[in-house]
Amino acid sequence: MKAFIFALFFLSTVALAEDTRQLAKLPDPAQESLRQEMLDNLVAVNEVLSLMAAGKVREAGEAAEAKLGMSAMGKHRGKPFDARPGPHMPPAMHGIGMDGHKAVSEFAAVARTGDRDKALALLPNLTTACVGCHAAYRTR
């Protein structure tokens, strides 16, 4: 019972805490494009992790590059300007995203060689930029 009360207290305290992340004001269509991209990225990261766990290192590298690496950049290029997140992001936020794509491509290059140990060492880099960006920025 004490644990339950503590959990309720903790959750209520967290819920009332002020969100100190920088607000990145994006037009609604750009915000929705970014939201969908982040959801797609979660699916892609899960696929890469699943492939690595199954010992399919080369396939993990291929999937990572195609869906998250430098090759995946420009997904919104054909959309109207207001639906493209990049041009509306603060420069530092955009830079974190670029760093994330580069880190994934570095992982992918190693994974495509089949070197499991080296690929595993780079695996956390797939989400480092994600964690940093989500910790620093919010869109609402």
Side-chain angles (χ1 to χ4, degrees), residues 6-113:
F6 176 77
L8 282 177
F9 173 76
F10 179 75
L11 289 175
S12 66
T13 303
V14 171
L16 296 175
E18 183 180 344
D19 190 346
T20 59
R21 296 174 297 163
Q22 180 179 339
L23 176 62
K25 293 184 180 181
L26 294 114
D28 288 343
Q31 188 174 334
E32 181 54 32
S33 293
L34 183 61
R35 181 186 159 285
Q36 188 58 55
E37 183 178 353
M38 296 302 101
L39 292 172
D40 293 344
N41 288 352
L42 282 172
V43 171
V45 167
N46 190 63
E47 179 183 353
V48 171
L49 292 174
S50 296
L51 288 166
M52 287 295 292
K56 298 178 180 180
V57 179
R58 286 183 178 88
E59 293 90 338
E62 292 297 331
E65 181 57 41
K67 297 176 181 180
L68 299 165
M70 296 296 287
S71 299
M73 290 177 50
K75 293 176 187 173
H76 307 292
R77 200 171 281 134
K79 293 181 178 179
F81 185 75
D82 277 358
R84 295 169 45 207
H88 303 287
M89 291 179 184
M93 181 182 182
H94 195 262
I96 292 171
M98 298 289 291
D99 290 345
H101 288 293
K102 290 175 189 172
V104 171
S105 288
E106 290 170 8
F107 161 81
V110 170
R112 287 187 299 221
T113 70

